[in-house]
Amino acid sequence: MLPPVVNEGKIFPFKFWFNSTVQDGMYHQNELFYRLHTTPLHLRAQLYHYACRLGQRDNVMVTASDTHCSIWVSLRSPSVTALTLRRQPLPAFLQPDSQLDSSSERMV
């Protein structure tokens, strides 16, 4: 199933303490989510591709605003603890300092 994409203005955000730091969370359709990654809007195709891969094993959704997009993972997901405790790095194609040309941005 493809992860839904929701306008960030239509979610209910909150902050919570997890993994020794304050994290971003949201409530959407009777589910609580944890913000896993945020990227600039121009990397939205790569972010969605990554969300699709995560969505094969977890309840995942994507939010978008005028400036950025985020991947959110359900707090009920068994892998959310593993993802945060390992401090999983962003995939190389989502790294903020990666030099992408316009042709690689369209790659999905």
Side-chain angles (χ1 to χ4, degrees):
M1 184 151 110
L2 296 175
V5 179
V6 176
N7 182 316
E8 200 153 304
K10 297 189 185 239
I11 63 169
F12 299 97
F14 61 91
K15 300 280 187 179
F16 67 104
W17 186 259
F18 181 64
N19 198 20
S20 301
T21 186
V22 176
Q23 305 287 340
D24 290 326
M26 77 156 161
Y27 174 78
H28 183 73
Q29 295 185 343
N30 298 323
E31 188 74 44
L32 297 173
F33 290 87
Y34 159 75
R35 188 188 312 250
L36 185 62
H37 296 301
T38 298
T39 63
L41 195 57
H42 73 277
L43 294 175
R44 67 186 173 270
Q46 290 87 345
L47 181 101
Y48 193 75
H49 179 72
Y50 182 56
C52 289
R53 288 191 294 174
L54 287 177
Q56 293 175 356
R57 65 176 188 258
D58 295 310
N59 186 5
V60 174
M61 66 181 297
V62 174
T63 59
S65 73
D66 292 339
T67 59
H68 63 274
C69 330
S70 298
I71 295 177
W72 301 79
V73 179
S74 170
L75 284 172
R76 296 182 199 202
S77 169
S79 63
V80 78
T81 302
L83 290 168
T84 57
L85 291 178
R86 286 185 307 187
R87 301 211 183 255
Q88 179 182 8
L90 284 167
F93 60 86
L94 288 176
Q95 294 295 336
D97 59 347
S98 65
Q99 300 298 319
L100 295 174
D101 61 35
S102 58
S103 63
S104 64
E105 283 185 32
R106 286 183 228 127
M107 172 186 89
V108 175

